[in-house]
Amino acid sequence: MTTNGVLLKSHIKELKQAGLHSINVSLDTLRPERFERIALRSHYDDVLAGIEAALEEGFSPLKVNMVVMGGVNDDELLDFVELTKNRPINVRFIEFMPFKANQWAAGTFVPYVAMKASIDCHYELMPEPDNTRAGAAAKDFRIEGFTGSISFIPSMSDHFCDACNRLRLTADGSVNISQANERSREQLPA
């Protein structure tokens, strides 16, 4: 399940009892002053409390999805990496894709290779052995001595949708067949 995390703390025990064992929390900034601008809501503390509650309930690894946007939050990559130091969190850095009304522009696109290079300047990223498995959306890495891990989802620069084996159900109950992938190929900077 992927969630914005706003109500996660109040429902985490029910989700665990229902048999859920994996949660992705969307969090695009660790700076409270940016959170409301990006998320269009003021529930920063609720999202962090939800993440802590999920860890306490044993969701491991807990995935935290960060959509990286140039000039918006790309200066926080190392802050997100630090989340994985002592906790079983898998931070997933996701390339910003064009969707209807999401303010995507070529200048906001940060490719996976640029994100990885920025982190590589500070930490040695060791690829996970199964990084080349068929249908994988993420490129997974570890940092020696860290409890958690980091991943990159190169949705724009390394199209994987054709090999993806997942269904996505939207909040309104629709099955999401990604038409954004075709739009993203047209939008990718040269």
Side-chain angles (χ1 to χ4, degrees), residues 118-137:
S118 179
I119 295 168
D120 270 334
C121 289
H122 301 275
Y123 300 102
E124 181 182 351
L125 296 177
M126 300 176 292
E128 292 285 7
D130 61 349
N131 252 352
T132 57
R133 69 189 184 282

Side-chain angles (χ1 to χ4, degrees), residues 93-95 112 137-139 152-160:
F93 298 110
I94 303 171
E95 289 179 345
Y112 145 70
K139 297 182 182 301
F152 300 93
I153 300 180
S155 49
M156 293 275 291
S157 64
D158 185 13
H159 298 286
F160 51 80

Side-chain angles (χ1 to χ4, degrees), residues 83-125:
L83 286 178
T84 70
K85 189 170 191 171
N86 298 309
R87 296 188 275 177
I89 293 176
N90 172 235
V91 170
R92 295 155 44 102
F93 298 110
I94 303 171
E95 289 179 345
F96 191 28
M97 291 180 65
F99 289 103
K100 187 187 290 187
N102 77 346
Q103 308 301 314
W104 190 92
T108 58
F109 174 69
V110 181
Y112 145 70
V113 293
M115 292 180 227
K116 184 177 179 300
S118 179
I119 295 168
D120 270 334
C121 289
H122 301 275
Y123 300 102
E124 181 182 351
L125 296 177

Side-chain angles (χ1 to χ4, degrees), residues 4-73:
N4 64 16
V6 172
L7 300 175
L8 186 57
K9 181 179 179 181
S10 61
H11 295 287
I12 196 69
K13 289 186 185 303
E14 295 167 71
L15 293 170
K16 184 77 169 185
Q17 289 171 353
L20 190 67
H21 56 84
S22 181
I23 294 179
N24 295 10
V25 178
S26 298
L27 179 63
D28 296 329
T29 182
L30 293 173
R31 298 184 184 171
E33 69 279 3
R34 281 186 181 167
F35 183 85
E36 190 168 350
R37 260 191 341 260
I38 294 172
L40 303 176
R41 63 188 75 215
S42 59
H43 294 281
Y44 178 76
D45 292 333
D46 295 328
V47 175
L48 292 185
I51 289 170
E52 291 305 320
L55 290 170
E56 288 171 15
E57 284 297 318
F59 287 86
S60 174
L62 173 72
K63 295 178 181 180
V64 174
N65 294 339
M66 178 203 189
V67 175
V68 180
M69 297 167 277
V72 176
N73 64 356

